[in-house]
Amino acid sequence: MISKFHHFSAFLFFLVLLQLWPVLSLAKSTCNENEQVDVKRSDFPDGFLFGTATSSFQVEGAYLEDGKSLSNWDVFSHIPGNIENNDNGDVADDHYHRFLEDIGIMHSLGVNSYRFSISWPRILPKGRFGKVNPAGINFYNYLIDNLLLRGIEPFVTIYHHDFPQQLEEKYGSWLSPQMQKEFVHLAKTCFENFGDRVKYWATLNEPNLLTDMAYIRGTYPPTHCSAPFGNCSAGNSDTEPLIVLHNMLLSHAKAVKLYRKHFQEKQGGSMGIVLHSMMYEPLRDEDSDRQAVSRALAFNVGWMLDPLVFGDYPAEMREYLGSQLPRFSKEETKYVKGSLDFIGINHYSTLYAKDCIHSVCVLGSNHAIRGFVYTTGERDGIMIGEPTGNPRFFVVPEGMEKIVDYVKDRYKNIPMYVTENGYSPPKQKNQRSQDLVDDVKRIEYHSGYLSALARAIR
């Protein structure tokens, strides 16, 4: 039944929420990652949240109903060839019309939280220079109220990659500092309309992944890139990502500053951000590849979280990117540093990392924007884990324990939620329908990853 929530195939399959605060003892579970384990709810602390996750564009549909404007993803997905099978979000899972049925399915699964995102063009069709759309506000109010009636905690992502297309045409979206004002206006609208019932707010979903896909590889809108990363009509893969993420981090920090000053005391919610977080292992048993692992983590995890915890980008990034890496002003540092009540982790897989400073690597990996690191799922013809439906995702349960430990240690045990984790089956010809019904591989995936998560808490 969970399959209902991943029509767009990509990255939202299952949500597990973890808070390492406080650390509690758990029931005994096996330490052998390759052994099937019977994971029970009792293996996790009281108050642990289990849930499902979606994003607005991937599930809502109703792409031009009730006052909603075109989003950047609406425009992108209607261009032939951009999406596999030329799919689009016009109907998707029809969550906009069938959310009560979906809530019933969630309730039948026994989950106690639901992470969803706000469609920016649904509530603010023209951004801060237009009016709030009452129909959009009503939809999310109905959704939140009915979740709470079923005992399901709403976990709201303010921005999950879709915004009014007008903002791309007007500013160039995240390449412009103007997007900071637009985002704060969006966040304020959410706090004013939903904050009396929402206690968990994530400002942005995976800014590091969005930056990679939209401004390095050029496969997400607005499809900016440069050689050797891709063949786009506009963009610079070596510099634009640094500007984009900088604007996103400032947007997050300003929204948190607003919430803490005007809303948090009365509403009692918490504010965080959601990170795309791979784990890495050295490709070769060499110090250079072990250093490559550290750089890979710094250029992915640290790039996003270091400024929000410590006030500046990682030293490794300053070393290799130099003056290309933006700087925060003294005033900005005051509100950027410490702007997290929690960290959201999206973790699916682990990759090998190879040093490209002292070794020859494929084009792209030998660029500073990649930290001079090549990542792969294969070593000597053997995959790091069982393949999935995503060519960069492999089943490596122990990576969950390692990434949680890494984030816990690097960021001084800030409360942490695993906001995405899940499995998609490899595409196979002539696959038996019964295999899809039994869904054994997904069960094994969740069992292994949840067991690793339990070890991390313990």
Side-chain angles (χ1 to χ4, degrees):
M1 295 210 276
I2 289 177
S3 63
K4 178 176 183 60
F5 297 109
H6 56 86
H7 174 81
F8 271 86
S9 79
F11 41 83
L12 296 175
F13 303 95
F14 188 75
L15 168 71
V16 183
L17 298 176
L18 162 70
Q19 194 169 4
L20 291 183
W21 188 274
V23 178
L24 301 177
S25 61
L26 302 178
K28 181 180 180 182
S29 73
T30 179
C31 291
N32 183 355
E33 289 88 357
N34 298 318
E35 186 177 315
Q36 183 69 31
V37 273
D38 180 20
V39 181
K40 303 178 294 297
R41 189 180 288 261
S42 60
D43 290 338
F44 296 86
D46 293 339
F48 193 95
L49 295 170
F50 289 89
T52 54
T54 64
S55 72
S56 55
F57 176 75
Q58 289 178 301
V59 298
E60 284 183 5
Y63 86 114
L64 281 181
E65 288 188 38
D66 295 338
K68 178 186 172 293
S69 66
L70 282 173
S71 76
N72 57 325
W73 272 93
D74 291 324
V75 173
F76 175 76
S77 65
H78 280 96
I79 299 173
N82 279 348
I83 303 291
E84 188 173 353
N85 301 320
N86 290 321
D87 286 343
N88 56 53
D90 296 5
V91 178
D93 293 325
D94 202 22
H95 185 61
Y96 187 78
H97 299 112
R98 303 176 67 177
F99 69 93
L100 289 176
E101 179 186 349
D102 292 339
I103 291 172
I105 292 172
M106 285 184 255
H107 184 258
S108 73
L109 291 173
V111 303
N112 58 1
S113 65
Y114 174 44
R115 178 177 173 236
F116 62 93
S117 72
I118 302 296
S119 170
W120 194 335
R122 194 175 297 286
I123 68 169
L124 291 168
K126 296 183 179 181
R128 64 191 168 106
F129 294 110
K131 295 180 179 179
V132 174
N133 179 23
I137 298 297
N138 288 340
F139 168 69
Y140 292 111
N141 275 326
Y142 293 148
L143 176 62
I144 291 166
D145 289 345
N146 280 279
L147 286 168
L148 292 171
L149 281 173
R150 293 291 193 119
I152 299 172
E153 193 74 37
F155 197 110
V156 178
T157 304
I158 297 172
Y159 171 68
H160 195 130
H161 306 175
D162 56 333
F163 54 73
Q165 173 65 16
Q166 293 183 24
L167 302 186
E168 182 65 47
E169 297 166 357
K170 191 169 187 175
Y171 303 129
S173 66
W174 290 109
L175 283 168
S176 170
Q178 291 296 320
M179 279 294 274
Q180 297 174 31
K181 297 178 182 178
E182 294 286 349
F183 180 77
V184 171
H185 180 64
L186 168 67
K188 183 173 183 285
T189 303
C190 291
F191 302 150
E192 289 174 341
N193 287 279
F194 316 128
D196 57 328
R197 288 150 294 157
V198 174
K199 305 306 176 187
Y200 301 96
W201 293 102
T203 52
L204 303 102
N205 179 75
E206 299 183 324
N208 54 341
L209 176 70
L210 174 60
T211 301
D212 184 353
M213 302 302 287
Y215 294 91
I216 298 180
R217 302 173 189 263
T219 55
Y220 283 9
T223 61
H224 279 212
C225 69
S226 59
F229 298 96
N231 181 22
C232 303
S233 60
N236 184 325
S237 298
D238 291 302
T239 58
E240 284 191 352
L242 304 174
I243 299 168
V244 166
L245 195 85
H246 195 71
N247 281 325
M248 288 184 172
L249 294 180
L250 286 169
S251 298
H252 159 87
K254 288 178 179 180
V256 172
K257 180 182 178 183
L258 173 75
Y259 185 73
R260 288 175 173 173
K261 183 176 181 180
H262 296 289
F263 297 96
Q264 193 166 40
E265 183 176 357
K266 182 178 180 180
Q267 295 181 353
S270 59
M271 295 285 293
I273 198 168
V274 173
L275 164 79
H276 173 69
S277 57
M278 288 284 195
M279 192 58 205
Y280 301 93
E281 298 289 345
L283 180 65
R284 303 165 297 184
D285 186 16
E286 298 178 5
D287 285 341
S288 61
D289 281 6
R290 283 185 278 274
Q291 292 171 11
V293 167
S294 296
R295 285 202 307 280
L297 288 165
F299 273 71
N300 288 277
V301 176
W303 185 18
M304 207 177 103
L305 294 185
D306 271 31
L308 306 183
V309 177
F310 306 123
D312 198 7
Y313 294 109
E316 298 95 325
M317 296 191 73
R318 288 270 174 228
E319 179 180 356
Y320 294 107
L321 291 165
S323 60
Q324 290 184 333
L325 191 62
R327 291 190 178 275
F328 298 101
S329 68
K330 288 184 178 180
E331 183 61 30
E332 288 170 343
T333 301
K334 290 178 183 178
Y335 59 82
V336 170
K337 182 179 180 180
S339 60
L340 289 174
D341 297 326
F342 68 83
I343 296 169
I345 292 179
N346 292 353
H347 176 73
Y348 293 90
S349 188
T350 299
L351 293 171
Y352 292 119
K354 176 187 175 183
D355 168 65
C356 298
I357 297 175
H358 304 100
S359 302
V360 176
C361 292
V362 299
L363 289 176
S365 301
N366 57 352
H367 282 232
I369 194 68
R370 292 297 194 203
F372 299 106
V373 177
Y374 169 66
T375 58
T376 178
E378 181 181 340
R379 178 169 63 188
D380 299 329
I382 301 173
M383 297 299 179
I384 193 170
E386 188 174 336
T388 71
N390 185 313
R392 295 278 287 178
F393 288 179
F394 303 88
V395 181
V396 189
E398 58 269 32
M400 174 66 83
E401 182 176 9
K402 291 180 179 181
I403 193 65
V404 166
D405 283 345
Y406 175 83
V407 172
K408 170 184 177 291
D409 292 341
R410 186 176 180 99
Y411 301 109
K412 314 304 180 187
N413 203 22
I414 290 176
M416 190 188 313
Y417 295 81
V418 175
T419 39
E420 288 178 32
N421 170 251
Y423 175 84
S424 60
K427 295 180 181 179
Q428 297 176 357
K429 293 183 179 179
N430 303 319
Q431 188 170 25
R432 295 189 316 134
S433 59
Q434 189 59 44
D435 291 339
L436 296 173
V437 172
D438 294 339
D439 217 7
V440 172
K441 291 297 182 181
R442 193 188 311 273
I443 294 170
E444 291 176 350
Y445 178 98
H446 285 306
S447 179
Y449 275 74
L450 285 168
S451 178
L453 196 55
R455 288 195 303 275
I457 298 174
R458 189 169 59 248

Short mmCIF file of all heavy atoms in Angstrom, two decimals, residues 351 388-394:
data_model
loop_
_atom_site.label_atom_id
_atom_site.label_comp_id
_atom_site.label_asym_id
_atom_site.label_seq_id
_atom_site.Cartn_x
_atom_site.Cartn_y
_atom_site.Cartn_z
N LEU A 351 28.25 4.85 -1.26
CA LEU A 351 29.08 4.73 -2.46
C LEU A 351 30.55 4.65 -2.07
O LEU A 351 30.94 5.04 -0.97
CB LEU A 351 28.89 5.95 -3.37
CG LEU A 351 27.50 6.12 -4.02
CD1 LEU A 351 27.42 7.48 -4.71
CD2 LEU A 351 27.23 5.00 -5.01
N THR A 388 19.27 -1.34 -6.92
CA THR A 388 17.85 -0.96 -6.78
C THR A 388 17.39 -0.36 -8.11
O THR A 388 18.11 -0.42 -9.11
CB THR A 388 17.66 0.06 -5.65
OG1 THR A 388 18.20 1.33 -6.05
CG2 THR A 388 18.33 -0.41 -4.37
N GLY A 389 16.23 0.25 -8.11
CA GLY A 389 15.73 0.90 -9.31
C GLY A 389 16.41 2.21 -9.63
O GLY A 389 16.21 2.78 -10.70
N ASN A 390 17.21 2.74 -8.72
CA ASN A 390 18.00 3.94 -8.95
C ASN A 390 19.45 3.53 -9.17
O ASN A 390 20.04 2.86 -8.31
CB ASN A 390 17.88 4.89 -7.75
CG ASN A 390 18.57 6.22 -7.98
OD1 ASN A 390 19.70 6.28 -8.43
ND2 ASN A 390 17.89 7.31 -7.65
N PRO A 391 20.07 3.90 -10.29
CA PRO A 391 21.42 3.42 -10.59
C PRO A 391 22.49 3.86 -9.59
O PRO A 391 23.57 3.27 -9.56
CB PRO A 391 21.70 4.00 -11.98
CG PRO A 391 20.74 5.13 -12.15
CD PRO A 391 19.52 4.75 -11.37
N ARG A 392 22.20 4.86 -8.76
CA ARG A 392 23.19 5.31 -7.77
C ARG A 392 22.85 4.84 -6.36
O ARG A 392 23.55 5.15 -5.41
CB ARG A 392 23.27 6.85 -7.78
CG ARG A 392 23.79 7.44 -9.07
CD ARG A 392 25.29 7.42 -9.14
NE ARG A 392 25.91 8.41 -8.26
CZ ARG A 392 27.23 8.56 -8.13
NH1 ARG A 392 28.06 7.77 -8.80
NH2 ARG A 392 27.72 9.47 -7.32
N PHE A 393 21.77 4.10 -6.22
CA PHE A 393 21.35 3.61 -4.90
C PHE A 393 21.56 2.11 -4.82
O PHE A 393 21.08 1.36 -5.68
CB PHE A 393 19.87 3.92 -4.65
CG PHE A 393 19.57 5.38 -4.40
CD1 PHE A 393 18.27 5.79 -4.18
CD2 PHE A 393 20.56 6.34 -4.38
CE1 PHE A 393 17.96 7.13 -3.95
CE2 PHE A 393 20.28 7.68 -4.17
CZ PHE A 393 18.97 8.07 -3.95
N PHE A 394 22.25 1.68 -3.75
CA PHE A 394 22.50 0.27 -3.50
C PHE A 394 22.08 -0.04 -2.07
O PHE A 394 22.02 0.84 -1.22
CB PHE A 394 23.98 -0.06 -3.71
CG PHE A 394 24.48 0.28 -5.09
CD1 PHE A 394 24.98 1.55 -5.37
CD2 PHE A 394 24.44 -0.66 -6.11
CE1 PHE A 394 25.42 1.88 -6.64
CE2 PHE A 394 24.89 -0.33 -7.38
CZ PHE A 394 25.38 0.94 -7.64
#
